Amino acid sequence: MSSSPLSKKRRLSGTETKTGSHCSSSNSVRTDLSHTPANGMAKNGNDAEIDEGLYSRQLYVLGHEAMKRMQNSNVLISGMRGLGVEIAKNVILGGVRSVTVHDQGVAEWGDLSSQFYLREEDLGKNRAEVSQPRLAELNNYVPVTAYTGALTEDYLTKFQVVVLTNSTLDEQQHLGELCHSKGIKFIVADTRGLFSQLFCDFGEEMIVYDTNGEQPLSAMISMITKDNPGVVTCLDEARHGFESGDYVTFTEVQGMTELNGCQPVEIKVLGRSICDTAGFTDYVRGGIVSQVKMPKKISFVSDCQFLQQGLHLECNHFCILRFHPPPPLPLIRNVTVQVNSAQTGSAKIEQLDEALIKKLSFVAAGDLAPINAFIGGLAAQEVMKACTGKFMPIMQWLYFDALECLAEDEGVVLTEEECAPRNCRYDGQIAVFGTKLQDLLAKQRYFLVGAGAIGCELLKNFAMIGLACGEGEVIVTDMDTIEKSNLNRQFLFRPSDVTVSTADTAAAAVKQMNPSIKITGHQNRVGPDTERIYDDDFFESLDGVANALDNVDARMYMDRRCVYYRKPLLESGTLGTKGNVQVVIPFLTESYSSSQDPPEKSIPICTLKNFPNAIEHTLQWARDEFEGLFKQSPENPKFMERTLKLPGAQPIEVLEAVYKSLVTDCPHSWADCVAWARNHWQCQYSNNIRQLLHNFPPDQLTSSGAPFWSGPKRCPHPLEFSTSNELHMDYIMAGANLFAQTYSLPGSNDRVGVAKILQEVKVPAFTPRSGVKIHVSDQELQNSNSSELKTQLPTPESYQYKLNPIDFEKDDDTNYHMDFIVAASNLRAENYDIPPTDRHKSKLIAGKIIPAIATTTAAVVGLVCLELIKIVQGHKKLESYKNGFMNLALPFFGFSEPIAAPKHKRDWTCREYIFYMPTPSSLILSNMCEAHVLLILYICFFVSCRMTEIVTKVSKKKLGKHVKALVFELCCNDLSDEDVEVPYVRYTIR
């Protein structure tokens, strides 16, 4: 794991535009970023540099071109209550050119329930001015300005995107018309307690460059007909994934060469075939069809036009969300009736939902952090869409409510006194749920596993809603330390926190947001190794668990623990713009482990070794090379046999390389390391390819007469080494330095010196050998006998050196790890005429990086905390809980009831159970599963049973861990780990 904030940067040119942060106004304040900060960051804008170290995970979501467009966008966000600051936080983390926060109001008690950058000492101060310096700390590339004046036409023209929150209906209509006429992207976001809305107007003509954010598809061609229309058939290994209406291009087609390099062609899909060719020369073989993302034009109407068309009346409570502050119930109903009566056709609702309007009026004065987090994440993503043209915008209005958070019993109505303001930081939440829930939240004891992106957002929301702000406690554990790449989405951390403990830093940050929260940070990994810490007493004391993990194994482990201890579990995850939320309630819903995603499809070993056809194959091959050469410790005698069984590795090559490294090629100097790298280059990219072509010549035919080198098998060619080839030298530099590190020898970055050493290196001549077996399929490989390898393996006594294994670290650009992976992969790609890829994509694939963006994280965590509120209230109905699924790129939002917990019926009349009855001083339960143990204890202590057989015996038995705990709890016997001798009575119950 990298401990350095150093990163590789990509220089991009841009166009100079005016920024709102440079406006002169007596009502503005700003952070001076005219100089380069101490941490090396510079502000965005003209000639901006994309800091790949900071933005790496987001770049895998947006791409460089979209980031470049975003870095030339100035954004105004009006209204700095909880929703506004949430939007601002996400937009600033995203990396726009500048952000101006606007507010003419002052901080009040009701703001503190969700505005995480306001403190109690800020009451009475302007919200924008107080929030500005704290927002500016989020991203030193983004200047943040506070503005407290009026939003005039001259002022608004400085911005590319304007966002209104906490605004009146008149302001929305007036400014919306103004922005529409000036070509300024316009967004309105509002929350009212458990109700919320989002409105977008991106102009009469907007170009979307990528509507879904998915990687373009590619497939290998097996046949092209000359029919009218012609049919292109793809290989049958898997469905190609293309859809009718997609655009594709063709490459590497032999015979029907007119297709190669053609303009993008729209296709129709026929099962495994794609159809759109006719009238060309005869097809011979080969070819690749690739999807092309085509720009799409969309148009929007202004806010006034949208209202006039009555489109908003799809939901009959829309009007109230347009008023600030919310009017009383009679006025709400009157206005809704008036607006509805003016509609015609499908826009008019036959009967208003009186109960819904009543609920709206009761909660509209509230301000809830989870709702603001969800809508704030969505609104910030719409800002990014407006700036970049990346992903499909919301067309044009979105509504969301979470009424299931209210009491399940319809007869339960909170009194005005229970929801009245207390002049405390939770007034915005008390206005919706009353004081009883607030008291319950304060007493909660929750275990948060992970303090990364989701963990930071959860802690912020925990602090805002008042979780564990009384007698309770939040325990957060995370074994990681902070890295620079975390700062783009883990908003509790700052550049000065790099290399510091994640959990401790996050805990300290949320204590500043709400000093009342009781939080403890741990640096432990959850798992069997830490069960002595997170033991029975620990879990029994919990009210619930929230996962913020990044791997399935840890999720499943925590799920098993929660099932065992009957604790609710809040599970969530993100993947770029995609997110999901799952709530697990004991005895009510299924557990996380009840359903699993299908395993990822692995790459066949023979494809990696000899027949790659995609850059993913060469990158995995390079990653295996790194592990085999520099990571796996040859000192462990079991390593050799383990390597033979590794999926996706090249056992023969790895073992031969290890043998040479340990016995025959041990280096004594830097020159020896360079010589090793040069000879290894020759072996991998020339000799092995020549041997492969000796076994299977380019014109080889299969037993059926078909060309051997066809379909997924690409015919390779050997490479010739040259010191003038930058890629060749990249490999030598990286390989030699890594090889030197394994022997604790000094390395070098002197490329000129290395080139001189290479002139003296003697590369042995190679002649392909007959009789060398090369396996064509994995089945053939599995059937082969690898015993001949064992005679070549070195014994531990023959090792001349103790090697230093190197752990792969993808985010440190000074350690040569990614240099080796990129060079090794692209050289192999050149062998097989596979298009190479850049360092950015190579790091994504080889490093198994999960793309991430702050907007998705914020939205997902908002939904998680809504489920938390239901759990704390004690909701019992399955339909009250919601599992959530979203894809902000489409955009798509789906909610479903959790699957009910399985219920099993048992026929107790036809089974025989044997157990051991406790004597007055002891108890033994052995050879039984936990369910049977609990059943027997229940029968023993609470049910009169018929004893059919009694036998007294004396026996020695070893008590298991869980049984020991049960015995101690029920019988108060202090049992040791030693064998114990006790009498027991055997009972049989029929």
Side-chain angles (χ1 to χ4, degrees):
M1 192 167 293
S2 174
S3 61
S4 170
L6 296 175
S7 65
K8 195 177 190 74
K9 297 181 180 180
R10 181 183 300 254
R11 188 171 182 82
L12 294 171
S13 61
T15 304
E16 180 68 45
T17 59
K18 292 183 179 182
T19 170
S21 61
H22 295 135
C23 61
S24 58
S25 171
S26 59
N27 296 317
S28 298
V29 297
R30 69 184 302 272
T31 300
D32 184 10
L33 292 176
S34 58
H35 64 284
T36 301
N39 62 4
M41 291 185 179
K43 64 184 180 181
N44 294 337
N46 189 43
D47 292 330
E49 294 177 336
I50 295 182
D51 187 342
E52 293 187 354
L54 176 67
Y55 293 117
S56 63
R57 281 23 175 202
Q58 179 175 293
L59 281 168
Y60 294 123
V61 181
L62 297 179
H64 283 85
E65 288 302 314
M67 276 293 300
K68 175 183 173 182
R69 289 191 289 269
M70 193 160 65
Q71 287 188 342
N72 284 288
S73 300
N74 306 302
V75 180
L76 170 70
I77 302 171
S78 177
M80 281 296 106
R81 300 189 71 202
L83 178 57
V85 78
E86 184 72 43
I87 298 171
K89 177 257 293 180
N90 295 326
V91 171
I92 293 167
L93 290 173
V96 296
R97 181 185 177 97
S98 73
V99 170
T100 299
V101 293
H102 167 259
D103 204 314
Q104 293 181 296
V106 297
E108 303 171 351
W109 279 114
D111 299 328
L112 299 184
S113 61
S114 64
Q115 222 286 22
F116 45 87
Y117 284 148
L118 292 180
R119 313 285 185 261
E120 291 186 16
E121 58 267 25
D122 297 327
L123 295 174
K125 300 177 183 178
N126 180 271
R127 288 184 288 247
E129 292 179 341
V130 171
S131 303
Q132 181 270 334
R134 293 159 186 164
L135 286 167
E137 293 176 352
L138 291 170
N139 190 343
N140 288 332
Y141 285 115
V142 181
V144 180
T145 301
Y147 177 66
T148 61
L151 296 179
T152 63
E153 179 176 347
D154 290 341
Y155 189 76
L156 291 180
T157 55
K158 297 174 169 57
F159 304 96
Q160 282 72 51
V161 184
V162 171
V163 182
L164 292 188
T165 70
N166 195 39
S167 57
T168 66
L169 179 60
D170 289 341
E171 288 174 333
Q172 295 166 16
Q173 292 182 333
H174 170 68
L175 297 179
E177 284 296 313
L178 178 60
C179 290
H180 190 83
S181 64
K182 297 294 183 181
I184 301 170
K185 308 296 192 299
F186 181 69
I187 298 172
V188 176
D190 276 307
T191 61
R192 297 285 187 270
L194 292 168
F195 295 83
S196 58
Q197 70 160 3
L198 188 60
F199 174 82
C200 300
D201 172 14
F202 296 164
E204 295 180 1
E205 184 176 294
M206 178 189 179
I207 298 177
V208 179
Y209 299 98
D210 182 356
T211 59
N212 60 15
E214 301 295 333
Q215 288 295 318
L217 300 170
S218 181
M220 303 190 76
I221 298 170
S222 63
M223 175 58 67
I224 304 178
T225 71
K226 290 186 64 175
D227 298 333
N228 187 12
V231 175
V232 179
T233 305
C234 299
L235 290 177
D236 291 336
E237 292 182 352
R239 292 193 64 84
H240 49 66
F242 295 105
E243 297 179 357
S244 295
D246 286 346
Y247 284 79
V248 300
T249 58
F250 298 85
T251 55
E252 302 183 28
V253 176
Q254 298 180 35
M256 199 175 286
T257 56
E258 297 92 338
L259 287 175
N260 293 328
C262 68
Q263 292 297 315
V265 178
E266 186 176 1
I267 61 170
K268 295 179 181 178
V269 174
L270 307 172
R272 293 185 182 272
S273 306
I274 54 178
C275 169
D276 207 329
T277 61
F280 298 116
T281 53
D282 292 341
Y283 171 78
V284 177
R285 63 177 174 175
I288 297 174
V289 56
S290 302
Q291 183 184 25
V292 178
K293 295 293 186 74
M294 301 296 290
K296 181 177 181 179
K297 290 183 180 180
I298 56 177
S299 62
F300 297 77
V301 298
S302 68
D303 193 38
C304 285
Q305 291 174 311
F306 193 81
L307 288 171
Q308 291 169 1
Q309 293 173 9
L311 300 176
H312 60 277
L313 284 179
E314 294 175 14
C315 295
N316 56 23
H317 54 277
F318 175 87
C319 294
I320 183 57
L321 299 178
R322 288 289 190 164
F323 285 91
H324 180 77
L329 175 59
L331 183 56
I332 293 175
R333 188 185 185 285
N334 291 339
V335 171
T336 306
V337 170
Q338 291 176 9
V339 173
N340 184 50
S341 62
Q343 306 307 312
T344 58
S346 60
K348 188 172 183 178
I349 298 173
E350 295 183 3
Q351 185 175 359
L352 296 176
D353 190 334
E354 299 284 352
L356 185 63
I357 296 174
K358 187 175 182 179
K359 289 179 181 178
L360 176 56
S361 66
F362 284 165
V363 306
D367 188 35
L368 301 177
I371 295 290
N372 288 334
F374 177 69
I375 295 297
L378 271 56
Q381 188 68 63
E382 295 306 304
V383 171
M384 295 183 183
K385 294 175 184 178
C387 296
T388 65
K390 182 85 171 183
F391 311 138
M392 181 60 67
I394 291 173
M395 301 292 297
Q396 289 189 243
W397 173 70
L398 176 141
Y399 158 79
F400 173 79
D401 73 51
L403 288 175
E404 68 277 0
C405 289
L406 296 175
E408 289 182 309
D409 188 351
E410 290 290 339
V412 176
V413 178
L414 296 174
T415 65
E416 186 174 346
E417 181 181 356
E418 289 177 302
C419 300
R422 263 67 173 173
N423 286 336
C424 72
R425 66 177 306 117
Y426 310 114
D427 278 355
Q429 188 165 275
I430 290 174
V432 178
F433 297 111
T435 56
K436 290 182 181 179
L437 175 62
Q438 206 59 54
D439 294 338
L440 288 173
L441 286 167
K443 298 175 182 178
Q444 296 295 299
R445 180 176 167 86
Y446 255 76
F447 186 32
L448 173 59
V449 189
I454 289 178
C456 284
E457 290 287 341
L458 280 168
L459 287 175
K460 176 257 292 181
N461 282 275
F462 287 174
M464 292 297 97
I465 67 176
L467 189 78
C469 291
E471 301 173 5
E473 184 183 14
V474 171
I475 303 97
V476 55
T477 186
D478 195 313
M479 64 177 294
D480 289 339
T481 56
I482 299 166
E483 300 180 1
K484 184 177 179 181
S485 62
N486 300 149
L487 304 179
N488 174 240
R489 63 200 185 282
Q490 300 176 13
F491 83 107
L492 295 180
F493 309 139
R494 301 293 175 265
S496 59
D497 297 325
V498 171
T499 74
V500 180
S501 165
T502 301
D504 288 342
T505 307
V510 295
K511 284 284 285 185
Q512 293 182 356
M513 294 179 176
N514 185 351
S516 299
I517 189 171
K518 294 181 180 178
I519 183 169
T520 304
H522 293 179
Q523 291 80 49
N524 302 318
R525 181 196 300 274
V526 293
D529 294 342
T530 56
E531 287 182 4
R532 57 183 177 79
I533 301 172
Y534 307 119
D535 55 12
D536 294 345
D537 292 337
F538 176 82
F539 271 93
E540 290 296 344
S541 69
L542 296 176
D543 292 295
V545 176
N547 275 350
L549 293 162
D550 61 358
N551 67 89
V552 173
D553 289 341
R555 285 181 164 103
M556 294 183 70
Y557 173 81
M558 287 307 303
D559 178 64
R560 292 194 297 271
R561 298 292 276 175
C562 289
V563 168
Y564 182 83
Y565 291 103
R566 278 71 172 170
K567 300 298 177 182
L569 172 66
L570 293 165
E571 171 58 52
S572 58
T574 67
L575 178 64
T577 58
K578 302 170 186 176
N580 72 282
V581 176
Q582 182 179 358
V583 57
V584 180
I585 308 297
F587 309 110
L588 184 64
T589 74
E590 70 170 5
S591 67
Y592 172 81
S593 304
S594 296
S595 60
Q596 299 181 29
D597 294 332
E600 293 185 11
K601 186 177 180 181
S602 60
I603 304 171
I605 295 176
C606 284
T607 298
L608 290 175
K609 288 179 59 178
N610 299 312
F611 309 113
N613 56 64
I615 198 65
E616 289 79 8
H617 301 161
T618 66
L619 281 166
Q620 184 60 57
W621 179 90
R623 186 73 172 82
D624 290 340
E625 271 275 286
F626 183 98
E627 292 294 314
L629 295 174
F630 311 121
K631 170 63 171 68
Q632 302 288 359
S633 175
E635 294 174 285
N636 184 351
K638 296 181 180 179
F639 163 72
M640 302 302 181
E641 293 186 10
R642 280 206 322 267
T643 302
L644 291 172
K645 300 176 182 178
L646 282 176
Q650 306 85 51
I652 297 176
E653 291 88 341
V654 171
L655 293 175
E656 288 179 347
V658 168
Y659 179 76
K660 291 178 181 178
S661 299
L662 291 170
V663 181
T664 61
D665 295 339
C666 296
H668 300 278
S669 65
W670 168 243
D672 290 344
C673 296
V674 173
W676 172 87
R678 172 65 183 88
N679 280 288
H680 194 68
W681 186 102
Q682 189 70 22
C683 176
Q684 296 294 62
Y685 304 109
S686 179
N687 298 351
N688 288 348
I689 300 299
R690 290 167 63 189
Q691 181 66 55
L692 180 63
L693 291 174
H694 176 78
N695 283 44
F696 306 107
D699 56 357
Q700 173 97 6
L701 299 178
T702 65
S703 58
S704 63
F708 177 85
W709 294 105
S710 62
K713 292 185 176 67
R714 303 173 71 98
C715 186
H717 65 274
L719 304 182
E720 293 294 330
F721 183 83
S722 172
T723 55
S724 61
N725 188 306
E726 288 293 319
L727 185 59
H728 296 188
M729 289 298 293
D730 287 345
Y731 181 90
I732 299 298
M733 293 297 297
N737 273 282
L738 291 169
F739 195 63
Q741 289 177 35
T742 63
Y743 290 90
S744 300
L745 294 173
S748 173
N749 58 4
D750 181 7
R751 295 175 77 96
V752 175
V754 169
K756 291 180 179 179
I757 295 174
L758 288 171
Q759 294 175 1
E760 306 298 325
V761 175
K762 302 300 182 182
V763 179
F766 174 79
T767 301
R769 296 173 294 162
S770 299
V772 175
K773 179 65 175 177
I774 296 179
H775 301 292
V776 177
S777 67
D778 280 12
Q779 185 63 46
E780 187 178 312
L781 178 62
Q782 292 173 4
N783 295 337
S784 68
N785 187 354
S786 60
S787 60
E788 69 271 10
L789 289 175
K790 296 181 181 179
T791 61
Q792 305 176 20
L793 304 182
T795 62
E797 292 76 15
S798 65
Y799 298 172
Q800 299 182 26
Y801 287 89
K802 178 180 179 180
L803 302 186
N804 303 313
I806 300 174
D807 292 320
F808 177 67
E809 170 49 56
K810 59 188 176 296
D811 287 321
D812 183 353
D813 289 322
T814 65
N815 62 10
Y816 289 104
H817 296 193
M818 280 306 305
D819 299 83
F820 180 85
I821 296 294
V822 173
S825 171
N826 284 340
L827 284 168
R828 188 161 175 83
E830 186 178 348
N831 276 138
Y832 288 86
D833 294 316
I834 298 170
T837 192
D838 60 12
R839 185 187 188 92
H840 181 66
K841 184 176 180 180
S842 298
K843 185 184 292 187
L844 170 70
I845 299 172
K848 299 184 181 345
I849 292 176
I850 300 175
I853 192 167
T855 50
T856 310
T857 306
V860 163
V861 170
L863 297 179
V864 171
C865 290
L866 290 175
E867 300 307 307
L868 171 62
I869 288 174
K870 301 172 190 176
I871 293 173
V872 174
Q873 290 183 91
H875 283 12
K876 301 297 184 184
K877 297 178 181 178
L878 187 66
E879 59 268 24
S880 296
Y881 295 96
K882 303 296 179 187
N883 288 343
F885 312 89
M886 68 179 72
N887 187 341
L888 301 186
L890 295 179
F892 168 80
F893 307 94
F895 300 90
S896 65
E897 293 178 9
I899 298 176
K903 296 180 180 179
H904 303 289
K905 293 183 178 180
R906 294 186 182 272
D907 182 4
W908 303 108
T909 61
C910 61
R911 286 178 173 84
E912 181 178 279
Y913 294 88
I914 300 176
F915 63 95
Y916 301 98
M917 186 72 178
T919 67
S921 62
S922 62
L923 166 68
I924 282 187
L925 301 168
S926 61
N927 300 324
M928 299 181 184
C929 68
E930 180 197 355
H932 286 173
V933 168
L934 295 175
L935 168 67
I936 292 165
L937 290 175
Y938 178 81
I939 295 173
C940 289
F941 288 93
F942 300 105
V943 178
S944 296
C945 57
R946 176 186 173 194
M947 294 172 285
T948 61
E949 183 181 359
I950 302 176
V951 180
T952 303
K953 293 181 180 179
V954 177
S955 174
K956 263 189 173 181
K957 289 191 174 289
K958 182 77 172 178
L959 301 179
K961 178 180 179 182
H962 296 297
V963 173
K964 232 181 357 178
L966 283 170
V967 170
F968 180 79
E969 180 180 348
L970 295 172
C971 301
C972 299
N973 291 332
D974 188 7
L975 299 175
S976 67
D977 287 330
E978 301 298 325
D979 288 343
V980 291
E981 192 171 14
V982 293
Y984 65 91
V985 179
R986 178 185 175 190
Y987 287 86
T988 302
I989 300 180
R990 301 184 192 277

